[in-house]
Amino acid sequence: MCGIVGYTGPKEAYPIVITGLKRLEYRGYDSTGVALLNDGLKVYKKKGRVAELEEAIIGKDLHSSTGIGHTRWATHGEPSDINAHPHISASGKLAMIHNGIIENYAQLKKELTNKGYKFTSETDTEVLLNFIEDIQENNQCDLLEAVRVALKRVTGAYVILLLNSATPDTIIAARKGSPLVIGVGKGEHFLGSDASPMLEYTKEVVYVNDYELAIVRPNELILKNLGNEKITPFVTKLDMELAEIEKGGYDHFMLKEIFEQPSTIHDCLRGRLDATAGTITMSGIQDNIEHFKNAKRIIIVACGTSWHAALLAEYIIEELCRIPVEVEYASEFRYRNPIINKGDIIVAISQSGETADTLVAIERAKENGAIIFGIVNVVGSSIARISNGGAYTHAGPEIGVASTKAFTGQLTVIAMMALKIAKEKNTISEERYRNLLLELEAVPEKVAAILKSAEDIKAIALKYKDAADALYLGRGYNFPIALEGALKLKEISYIHAEGYPAAEMKHGPIALVDENLPVVFIATKDSYHEKIVSNIQEIKARKGKVIAVVTEGDDIIPGMADDVFYVPAADEIIAPMLSTIPIQLLSYYVGIAKGVDVDKPRNLAKSVTVE
Ligand code: F6R
């Protein structure tokens, strides 16, 4: 969480930094700030969005060729002008921005307070900054050395960028656990939490690794580790275009991303699935095929929407591959001393590839000898890099905070992966395998067909926008979609929503049902159809309002439901990729009708890099 940007070079830094911050605002948006170096340090910061800061500093002296900027998701201290980054050191010579959490900040603060330091903010960042300055003054060393010494004492996660008024063209950076990309231009360098701030200037980037420090000047990039040894920067080429991070005529990124799904799913399948030849080409699986074939179990770790994809993966992999699967919340897994044996396969699912809990969970598992397989969207992200093998979802940049196209990308990868392993293990008949390949191939077209009914979904969404609560129910492969539907609704409409296995509602949630409660059934034609029809009857008998996602041609549920969303017929393993689309649109239109900023809902951030 939090977005960081930096620039040093011949151009004006401020426009680059402020534009970069707008692109990174999805990472946190409760306050914003910039620090510019030119004849001393100038710091402007403010509670609120990037646009508010921009407006507030019109007419100020913004001239500088070295600058840093920050957009915050508050951890220590409420969103306020004072807690906003950058922070300035006691001497006034250093300015710093930080993404992450310094876990031992209280101890460091005590030590500094005993030495007479005073703090203006409640942040851990101001503590770390003064700790660095204190070391620099005591040791009479340069700033990089002080940072190096300080970071050896720090526990937690960080990316920091520092400016020093004594070295006007230099940015010092360091990372552990939070992402940092450095763009290499001609006589200039760019820094960012991801590559979006530098896209129009350079495609050459260096992904900084944990425990690395960087000295960044216009014509020089020096990387070192915490042991003060030099590291050769590894420059990679970005495969991303500016258009991918723009709204492209849509009102919101979320809507654009929902509508991109026919092409993102197609991109995910492209070059991998060949239904005519009957093949799936996934080198990440192929390279580890013996491990997968012989696996006694697979553990999947993830958070949020990615966890819902993991749950569906459990159902699909167990059905097709006959391998036991355990699905874990990464945040629980990392702390509960799980039993991990050498050679166990841990699959990490993550859109951002930076989620702190998922990242640490797999780091621990890897230390214990597990093989890590990453299903990740962001190319070059930390989880992708730490994994022993993996498969990208190829959904392109997802900027709306609510995950949509990344989720269907994850489901696509999971389906291909399960089919490939099942084929290799011989746990699937040739006929079913071939049929599922054809089904998968047809998904983009079917998703496009569902999107054509967006206006109908919008009309239904308006009917339910004032609901106080909602219940989402599904069985079997559609149960994870019920969970996902409830999550999507609460995060972007602020309506309290619960997802449940449809049959489980009799054990408690049914007490909530009355004429005011919308109950969304994910009820496509599958082996549970008759059962879910009974569950719908149970809700109707208690006067609940039923909204059902059904398969085209269903002649039972539409007669019972108050409102219906139709999706094309599909195999029950594939159907969740379709039933999730109306659910996404329902949340989007309810959120819009309620006036929520759906791309940046309150309290959330896209990339959760703190635990
Ligand atoms: C919900 C959502 C979050 C993320 C979660 C994990 O719409 O986006 O629940 O799914 O924070 O993030 P990743 O997938 O980046 O690890």
Side-chain angles (χ1 to χ4, degrees), residues 192-228:
S193 297
D194 67 28
S196 61
M198 55 202 79
L199 270 184
E200 60 266 62
Y201 304 106
T202 181
K203 291 273 187 298
E204 308 224 312
V205 297
V206 174
Y207 292 100
V208 178
N209 291 309
D210 278 352
Y211 304 108
E212 287 179 1
L213 302 149
I215 309 159
V216 190
R217 301 191 181 99
N219 284 304
E220 190 175 37
L221 168 60
I222 301 171
L223 273 188
K224 288 189 168 185
N225 60 22
L226 284 186
N228 209 20

Side-chain angles (χ1 to χ4, degrees), residues 409-544:
Q410 290 164 351
L411 301 189
T412 310
V413 166
I414 287 161
M416 284 191 287
M417 172 177 168
L419 280 166
K420 183 157 180 70
I421 299 167
K423 177 82 174 133
E424 295 275 353
K425 268 195 88 184
N426 225 358
T427 49
I428 188 169
S429 71
E430 183 66 18
E431 188 191 350
R432 180 132 170 77
Y433 173 75
R434 287 282 184 157
N435 182 45
L436 280 170
L437 292 192
L438 288 170
E439 287 265 357
L440 253 181
E441 196 179 44
V443 169
E445 209 177 302
K446 289 181 182 175
V447 170
I450 300 167
L451 290 170
K452 289 202 180 114
S453 57
E455 282 303 312
D456 302 338
I457 296 172
K458 181 178 181 179
I460 294 171
L462 294 181
K463 284 171 63 177
Y464 296 100
K465 73 175 180 40
D466 296 320
D469 305 277
L471 194 56
Y472 282 70
L473 301 175
R475 301 181 78 120
Y477 299 105
N478 276 326
F479 164 50
I481 303 304
L483 295 180
E484 174 59 7
L487 175 65
K488 223 75 311 168
L489 189 73
K490 57 190 151 198
E491 68 183 329
I492 58 164
S493 75
Y494 312 152
I495 293 174
H496 168 246
E498 302 256 9
Y500 251 80
E504 186 66 18
M505 56 109 182
K506 298 189 287 296
H507 302 285
I510 199 162
L512 299 171
V513 178
D514 63 15
E515 65 280 8
N516 298 316
L517 185 79
V519 183
V520 182
F521 276 91
I522 324 296
T524 48
K525 267 267 168 66
D526 55 20
S527 39
Y528 308 86
H529 193 252
E530 277 179 19
K531 304 273 176 217
I532 210 155
V533 167
S534 307
N535 299 139
I536 294 176
Q537 299 282 19
E538 288 155 10
I539 296 293
K540 288 307 294 177
R542 286 155 186 88
K543 299 194 166 44

Side-chain angles (χ1 to χ4, degrees), residues 239-313:
D239 181 20
M240 199 198 285
E241 296 304 326
L242 199 54
E244 292 181 62
I245 58 160
E246 288 173 343
K247 283 193 196 140
Y250 285 90
D251 289 342
H252 298 96
F253 281 110
M254 183 178 175
L255 191 62
K256 176 188 176 221
E257 288 157 8
I258 291 173
F259 272 82
E260 276 176 342
Q261 290 174 108
S263 65
T264 53
I265 297 170
H266 183 265
D267 288 347
C268 185
L269 295 169
R270 196 178 46 208
R272 290 169 164 166
L273 179 132
D274 185 338
T276 316
T279 54
I280 292 174
T281 310
M282 293 175 92
S283 57
I285 301 282
Q286 197 57 51
D287 294 348
N288 293 288
I289 197 65
E290 289 309 314
H291 290 299
F292 278 107
K293 275 168 73 177
N294 300 320
K296 295 272 175 296
R297 62 171 182 169
I298 293 174
I299 301 171
I300 313 183
V301 292
C303 304
T305 289
S306 298
W307 189 89
H308 298 149
L311 192 59
L312 188 58

Side-chain angles (χ1 to χ4, degrees), residues 102 104 128 148 202 260 294 310 327 333 354 364 368 390 586:
I102 305 304
N104 57 341
L128 176 58
R148 194 180 72 81
T202 181
E260 276 176 342
N294 300 320
V327 177
F333 182 78
E354 300 294 349
R364 300 267 153 82
N368 287 332
L586 176 69

Side-chain angles (χ1 to χ4, degrees), residues 303-306 349-353 355 401-403 487-488 491 608:
C303 304
T305 289
S306 298
I349 307 183
S350 175
Q351 186 287 127
S352 60
T355 299
V401 160
S403 188
L487 175 65
K488 223 75 311 168
E491 68 183 329
V608 186

